[in-house]
Amino acid sequence: MEIKSILLGHGSGGKLSHDLIEKLFSKHFDNPILKQQSDSALFGVEGKHMAFTTDSFVVDPIFFPGGNIGKIAIAGTVNDLAVSGAIPKYLSCGFIIEEGFSYESLEQIVVTMAEEAKKAGVQIVTGDTKVVDKGKCDKVFINTSGLGFLDEKYKPISSGTGIRPGDKIIINGSIGDHGMSVMAARNDLNISADIKSDCACLNHMIADVLDQTTEVRFMRDATRGGLGTVISELVQNETYGIEIKENQLRIHEKVRGMCELLGFDPIHVANEGKVVLVVGKKDAQKAVEIMQQNEYGQQASIIGEITEDYKGKAWLETMIGGKRVIEMLSGQQLPRIC
Amino acid sequence: MKYIDEYRDRETVLALAEEIKRQSTKPIKLMEVCGGHTMSIQKFGLPYLLPETVELISGPGCPVCVTSRSYIDQAIAYSRLDDVIITTYGDLIRVPGSSSSLEQERANGANIQIVYSILDALKLAKANRDKKVVFLGIGFETTAPSSAAGIIQAQMAGINNFSVYSAHKVMPPAMATLIDEGVEIDGYIGPGHVSTITGSGIYMDIPKKFGLGVVISGFEPVDLMQSVLMLVKQIENDDQKVEIQYTRVVKPEGNVKAQETLDEVFEYGDDWWRGLGVLENSGLKIRAQYDKYNTEKILDVTVEPTKEPKGCLCGEILRGVKKPKDCKLFGNVCTPSNPIGACMVSSEGSCAAYYMYNR
């Protein structure tokens, strides 16, 4: 269908977003680096390999259990670099602030950003501020861009070209926490469920895995569109299939309850501190154990594997032993989740 | 989760699957007529656990799917009026009308708000006295009582800028019509939520007139597998009747209070169903004494002529004579992000369920 105007679904990270990127942005901005279509752009500068990424944050509400818009703004960009195999180094940040926004809240956000950047070992080295008329944006929107350095041997990780049947799929813990935390924090639903967002910078944990193993074939942070979207994107080139076991997925009780109530599938709910890894059979268990040493990976586990069979399809063995396909999130599930 | 995990127990489900396999000798087709069942069956991958003799087919159980395109066109026309706020359950917003959708209209500036309850719509009306708040009343006996309660509350609280545009329907006429039309069905998995309100009595004609069993089922995998087993037993023993599997919620007499509320505000009238056409006394119309709260009586709009999409098999799929995969549009032209028919939009729609979980 021809796109007449932009719908909320175009920003969902799901299929409509993909269409918009393909039909508009990629078409007009076309160049070889953009064509890689990975979390970060990878390119060489005077013999060094770099990773470069950008992300904008419009989460509503701006404060929620487990974090605020500033924390996601740092974690989101740091994680995009880290899952490309890069060591994140420098960040920029741009603020778009609504006239009348509380200085105290802004300071709180900025302090969080500074703390989070320090923890992640990155520096915020440049920025920009714009203020718009009251009502022309909602409180505060933040954009961050990030630059990192990449060891050449990790270049195939972001595209996953090294993936082969028998490889294991790993995630560093429970799914759906961020999405349901933000939904519960919104007043309009009148739900009081104290769900903490998983928002966190994962670069140190990822670096540990990369340093101590040799078979990491692919990584991606499972943000908007959730684990399901990462998994279904992985099988799109149709060279292999995937089988995930639902009873290996960790879903917090309150998250499950809220998903039941609202009719969401936790597999499609956003995370802000979860990375999906594909690791060769030999190193998979070791990778899990390394992640378990880190505070953000204590519940890391193998959730499935790459299969020779049913190429191009991702199957979920359901908790009761049935089978179904995992699809990409389509349309809009939750607007303004990050 | 308590009260849910027990009904998602792997061992119990597998034992039921084994028992179904053991008892089922005749090839049978069982139809579910509740969108919640359709979604649950696909989400848990139940067909994978059933023997070849038992086929599950989806019927007209998704309220959004059976609603006419002209209803959407008229809702769009209301949304274009200057002083109107449209309130709706989420599913409806993406259903294509003849040339637009509510989602598209919202992007164009119409005031359309998703609510989770009719009470939210009432609140909105109270807070915006200068606007007319229209609630899109969609659904079967399950949601109709809350629409009725909303109208009664509006009257009691003196909220005069609130109305309901009703497309509410009742299920039994559709179930009888399907059999009358010769659709091959050997038994019905009866709708759990509808029956919570209505009780089991409304299905008594089905075994009596048509010789088909109805088992009113819950929504969890253990519920559904047990219901399939109950139907298999009925068919194998040629003892077709109405049974309740979902006894923890459904009582034979139903929810009498909700039935009274429904009856106070609504009366039966003929209504159009996608795939089935006009069915006698299958719709719920707002009684004349509540005209003040009936959008159709108080707002005047010109609605564009309805255009049905070419090639869309929604009608046949809702009758259970075709499966989503039989439709040429399914999965390539018609996807959840670009739905051609309503069955692809609602999370309870057969096409959406097949697309998400069984493609």
Side-chain angles (χ1 to χ4, degrees):
Chain A
M1 189 170 61
E2 187 196 348
I3 304 172
K4 282 191 216 147
S5 45
I6 298 304
L7 308 177
L8 279 170
H10 284 116
S12 69
K15 201 157 181 315
L16 279 178
S17 303
H18 279 253
D19 287 352
L20 188 67
I21 291 168
E22 210 170 286
K23 287 181 188 155
L24 184 68
F25 299 125
S26 292
K27 183 175 137 198
H28 293 289
F29 296 156
D30 184 44
N31 63 64
I33 300 175
L34 184 65
K35 267 210 181 85
Q36 301 163 352
Q37 292 208 358
S38 51
D39 277 313
S40 299
L42 307 182
F43 49 86
V45 178
E46 292 176 355
K48 287 228 172 208
H49 294 283
M50 318 274 279
F52 182 44
T53 191
T54 190
D55 214 335
S56 297
F57 299 86
V58 297
V59 63
D60 171 38
I62 51 175
F63 293 95
F64 47 83
N68 62 42
I69 189 170
K71 190 172 177 187
I72 317 188
I74 302 298
T77 293
V78 163
N79 291 345
D80 274 348
L81 292 171
V83 298
S84 305
I87 306 290
K89 282 286 175 199
Y90 304 109
L91 260 55
S92 74
C93 79
F95 286 92
I96 298 170
I97 309 168
E98 186 185 14
E99 178 189 17
F101 182 59
S102 133
Y103 180 82
E104 197 190 331
S105 298
L106 185 61
E107 187 169 32
Q108 215 176 324
I109 291 166
V110 171
V111 167
T112 307
M113 290 174 79
E115 286 168 1
E116 205 56 29
K118 195 174 167 200
K119 242 174 126 177
V122 297
Q123 284 177 286
I124 299 165
V125 292
T126 181
D128 175 56
T129 311
K130 297 283 189 295
V131 179
V132 296
D133 296 350
K134 195 159 185 62
K136 302 288 177 188
C137 92
D138 189 5
K139 298 180 192 77
V140 60
F141 296 158
I142 302 176
N143 169 277
T144 53
S145 296
L147 199 62
F149 293 102
L150 182 75
D151 193 320
E152 192 175 4
K153 67 182 178 211
Y154 298 141
K155 268 174 81 180
I157 287 179
S158 57
S159 56
T161 42
I163 295 176
R164 61 200 70 165
D167 289 354
K168 302 290 180 192
I169 298 165
I170 298 170
I171 191 165
N172 59 315
S174 58
I175 57 169
D177 297 344
H178 177 72
M180 286 303 109
S181 161
V182 170
M183 281 305 274
R186 282 188 194 159
N187 291 328
D188 51 354
L189 282 176
N190 282 318
I191 292 176
S192 56
D194 183 26
I195 299 169
K196 217 173 139 204
S197 165
D198 60 344
C199 174
C201 290
L202 304 175
N203 55 320
H204 297 313
M205 180 183 74
I206 289 171
D208 287 348
V209 175
L210 288 178
D211 285 349
Q212 297 169 49
T213 61
T214 56
E215 289 193 329
V216 175
R217 318 252 205 240
F218 172 83
M219 287 189 284
R220 179 147 306 163
D221 50 344
T223 53
R224 284 177 309 178
L227 171 66
T229 297
V230 174
I231 296 295
S232 64
E233 276 174 355
L234 263 175
V235 294
Q236 264 180 351
N237 64 11
E238 306 201 339
T239 50
Y240 47 79
I242 286 181
E243 185 162 87
I244 300 286
K245 292 199 187 309
E246 191 171 26
N247 58 10
Q248 297 297 317
L249 302 179
R250 287 171 209 277
I251 305 165
H252 284 137
E253 198 68 2
K254 286 176 184 170
V255 171
R256 274 179 67 199
M258 210 166 143
C259 283
E260 284 294 325
L261 199 63
L262 298 174
F264 293 135
D265 190 339
I267 211 167
H268 286 132
V269 176
N271 310 281
E272 284 295 336
K274 290 295 154 359
V275 55
V276 180
L277 298 91
V278 179
V279 181
K281 212 159 59 183
K282 178 174 74 72
D283 268 351
Q285 190 51 40
K286 191 173 170 193
V288 167
E289 283 160 20
I290 295 165
M291 289 162 88
Q292 284 170 346
Q293 301 299 311
N294 187 285
E295 63 174 313
Y296 304 123
Q298 285 169 7
Q299 294 198 310
S301 65
I302 296 173
I303 55 169
E305 74 172 41
I306 305 289
T307 62
E308 183 87 57
D309 298 338
Y310 33 82
K311 291 183 171 67
K313 288 210 174 187
W315 284 97
L316 182 80
E317 187 192 310
T318 66
M319 62 179 94
I320 53 136
K323 267 194 180 187
R324 66 162 159 100
V325 166
I326 301 174
E327 262 298 327
M328 196 184 287
L329 176 64
S330 190
Q332 162 209 347
Q333 190 180 40
L334 308 165
R336 294 185 61 188
I337 208 72
C338 58
Chain B
M1 273 170 295
K2 222 177 160 194
Y3 308 121
I4 287 195
D5 287 342
E6 299 89 316
Y7 299 96
R8 291 183 183 175
D9 179 60
R10 191 184 176 104
E11 298 313 313
T12 316
V13 171
L14 295 178
L16 283 163
E18 201 49 47
E19 194 53 26
I20 292 167
K21 207 169 167 183
R22 204 179 62 79
Q23 297 210 21
S24 169
T25 61
K26 301 174 193 164
I28 53 169
K29 286 183 179 175
L30 305 178
M31 178 180 269
E32 84 272 357
V33 284
C34 171
H37 285 156
T38 308
M39 210 55 192
S40 210
I41 288 166
Q42 297 303 336
K43 183 176 163 192
F44 290 101
L46 298 186
Y48 177 82
L49 296 173
L50 292 172
E52 271 177 23
T53 43
V54 180
E55 190 185 343
L56 300 181
I57 49 177
S58 304
C62 156
V64 167
C65 307
V66 295
T67 301
S68 69
R69 190 163 268 219
S70 64
Y71 178 89
I72 303 294
D73 289 338
Q74 193 160 332
I76 288 169
Y78 290 135
S79 80
R80 287 175 179 163
L81 296 176
D82 274 345
D83 51 353
V84 163
I85 301 176
I86 300 282
T87 54
T88 174
Y89 298 135
D91 278 0
L92 210 57
I93 198 155
R94 298 186 50 243
V95 179
S98 294
S99 66
S100 182
S101 68
L102 290 166
E103 185 180 42
Q104 186 65 51
E105 293 300 312
R106 185 166 71 177
N108 295 346
N111 193 341
I112 299 169
Q113 305 202 17
I114 292 173
V115 292
Y116 288 87
S117 147
I118 195 167
L119 298 179
D120 294 337
L122 278 174
K123 262 190 227 156
L124 212 61
K126 232 172 159 175
N128 296 276
R129 294 282 187 176
D130 56 330
K131 304 272 191 216
K132 294 176 185 129
V133 173
V134 172
F135 178 74
L136 303 182
I138 289 270
F140 303 113
E141 292 93 330
T142 331
T143 51
S146 71
S147 289
I151 288 175
I152 293 171
Q153 280 210 15
Q155 190 182 43
M156 280 177 0
I159 302 172
N160 296 321
N161 58 330
F162 169 82
S163 65
V164 174
Y165 177 33
S166 169
H168 285 299
K169 291 177 170 53
V170 290
M171 186 48 85
M175 291 169 75
T177 302
L178 285 168
I179 314 171
D180 255 352
E181 281 201 351
V183 177
E184 286 174 40
I185 314 170
D186 301 286
Y188 275 117
I189 298 177
H193 292 147
V194 164
S195 312
T196 307
I197 305 291
T198 62
S200 55
I202 59 165
Y203 310 109
M204 289 306 174
D205 270 358
I206 292 173
K208 222 193 285 172
K209 278 197 194 159
F210 307 104
L212 253 60
V214 179
V215 173
I216 298 163
S217 176
F219 295 85
E220 297 302 326
V222 168
D223 293 320
L224 285 157
M225 292 299 273
Q226 196 183 5
S227 300
V228 169
L229 179 61
M230 287 161 83
L231 282 164
V232 165
K233 277 185 187 165
Q234 286 190 14
I235 295 163
E236 294 292 333
N237 300 328
D238 203 16
D239 178 25
Q240 283 81 354
K241 56 191 168 192
V242 177
E243 286 186 282
I244 304 174
Q245 179 278 335
Y246 201 24
T247 48
R248 63 187 187 280
V249 176
V250 177
K251 303 281 166 272
E253 69 280 12
N255 180 337
V256 177
K257 177 86 184 131
Q259 291 165 19
E260 284 167 4
T261 308
L262 190 72
D263 191 47
E264 166 65 27
V265 174
F266 289 106
E267 60 190 353
Y268 293 112
D270 300 347
D271 206 351
W272 187 93
W273 294 57
R274 183 178 305 280
L276 299 171
V278 175
L279 304 185
E280 205 181 320
N281 285 332
S282 68
L284 292 170
K285 314 288 172 192
I286 298 173
R287 288 184 189 276
Q289 72 211 69
Y290 292 104
D291 269 357
K292 231 170 103 176
Y293 305 98
N294 184 346
T295 312
E296 289 177 277
K297 294 286 160 68
I298 59 168
L299 292 182
D300 208 18
V301 281
T302 315
V303 184
E304 62 180 316
T306 302
K307 280 185 290 201
E308 289 292 339
K310 279 196 191 123
C312 172
L313 294 188
C314 263
E316 282 91 333
I317 290 163
L318 285 165
R319 286 210 311 274
V321 295
K322 291 268 165 70
K323 291 216 165 180
K325 285 176 188 167
D326 299 327
C327 179
K328 279 191 188 129
L329 307 180
F330 178 78
N332 45 65
V333 182
C334 181
T335 60
S337 58
N338 180 31
I340 306 294
C343 302
M344 187 55 99
V345 179
S346 170
S347 62
E348 295 190 352
S350 302
C351 295
Y354 272 72
Y355 187 92
M356 278 310 280
Y357 295 132
N358 190 16
R359 202 142 62 96

